[in-house]
């Protein structure tokens, strides 16, 4: 498996493997920051899938909150997503950290990804779209802090 290349690249950015177990999402397109600032509630952008430790991951950015009803409007939300758990793996626990270089914002957490077992509705949790995800809680970064930036580097 070639861990240095993404299967998909976002049109506004690129991801780069900076070290084993580390990933950098570089949003350096001049049109990208205004696009992020003018996003509506629930609108999201993805880093593009990348492989790390033989699993397929993605980082999702909601620059104006992830709730469609606007309850978290004005908040930047980041999530790490695991596309799938491959057999025989039924669960993965990771320690991750998001760091936004330009604002000095960081968040660290432990995430437990478990696939729902067949015929057991509440045993293991998956989200409504069948994607395993975990992210930071609110009030780490306000959307207004993106004003005046010409790039965004998420590590």
């Amino acid at each position: 498996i070639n861990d240095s290349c993404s299967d998909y690249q976002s049109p506004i950015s690129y991801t780069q493997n900076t070290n084993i177990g580390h990933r950098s999402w570089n949003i350096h397109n001049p049109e990208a920051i205004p696009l992020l600032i003018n996003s509506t509630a629930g609108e999201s952008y993805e880093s593009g899938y990348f492989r790390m430790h033989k699993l397929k991951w993605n980082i999702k950015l909601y620059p104006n909150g992830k709730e469609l009803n606007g309850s978290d409007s004005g908040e930047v939300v980041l999530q790490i997503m695991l596309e799938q758990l491959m057999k025989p793996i039924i669960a993965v626990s990771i320690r991750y950290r998001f760091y936004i270089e330009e604002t000095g914002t960081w968040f660290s957490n432990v995430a437990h990804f478990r696939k729902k077992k067949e015929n057991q509705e509440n045993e293991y949790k998956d989200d409504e779209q069948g994607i395993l995800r975990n992210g930071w809680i609110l009030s780490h970064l306000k959307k207004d802090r993106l004003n005046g930036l010409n790039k965004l580097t998420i590590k």
Side-chain angles (χ1 to χ4, degrees):
I1 296 173
N2 182 354
D3 284 345
S4 65
C5 296
S6 294
D7 293 349
Y8 164 78
Q9 288 296 315
S10 168
I12 65 166
S13 65
Y14 64 95
T15 57
Q16 175 183 355
N17 191 12
T18 57
N19 199 350
I20 300 298
H22 294 86
R23 179 65 54 170
S24 177
W25 181 12
N26 304 291
I27 304 173
H28 294 174
N29 182 326
E31 292 94 34
I33 301 300
L35 184 69
L36 297 177
I37 291 169
N38 295 316
S39 295
T40 58
E43 192 171 351
S44 65
Y45 302 88
E46 297 184 6
S47 64
Y49 288 105
F50 56 91
R51 293 201 182 272
M52 189 176 300
H53 304 292
K54 298 185 181 182
L55 296 172
K56 197 171 182 181
W57 301 91
N58 192 7
I59 299 170
K60 195 164 195 172
L61 168 67
Y62 296 87
N64 194 21
K66 75 174 200 155
E67 301 300 327
L68 294 175
N69 66 9
S71 62
D72 58 355
S73 181
E75 299 279 352
V76 176
V77 176
L78 279 170
Q79 293 183 328
I80 182 91
M81 300 186 316
L82 175 60
E83 184 190 10
Q84 66 184 15
L85 285 169
M86 298 176 294
K87 290 183 180 181
I89 300 170
I90 60 166
V92 172
S93 295
I94 64 167
R95 182 175 172 270
Y96 69 94
R97 183 177 92 155
F98 287 128
Y99 174 68
I100 300 178
E101 194 170 275
E102 290 75 15
T103 64
T105 306
W106 68 273
F107 173 77
S108 181
N109 199 7
V110 174
H112 307 284
F113 298 100
R114 294 178 295 261
K115 189 69 174 163
K116 185 194 289 188
K117 285 184 176 180
E118 290 182 35
N119 303 325
Q120 291 190 356
E121 220 167 286
N122 297 320
E123 182 71 22
Y124 294 134
K125 281 216 129 160
D126 201 339
D127 77 2
E128 66 280 357
Q129 298 163 342
I131 300 170
L132 303 147
R133 62 179 80 203
N134 193 290
W136 65 22
I137 54 176
L138 301 179
S139 299
H140 284 283
L141 180 63
K142 299 285 186 191
K143 181 179 82 163
D144 295 342
R145 297 257 332 257
L146 302 179
N147 289 324
L149 298 179
N150 58 11
K151 66 178 182 170
L152 203 61
T153 308
I154 302 169
K155 297 181 176 184

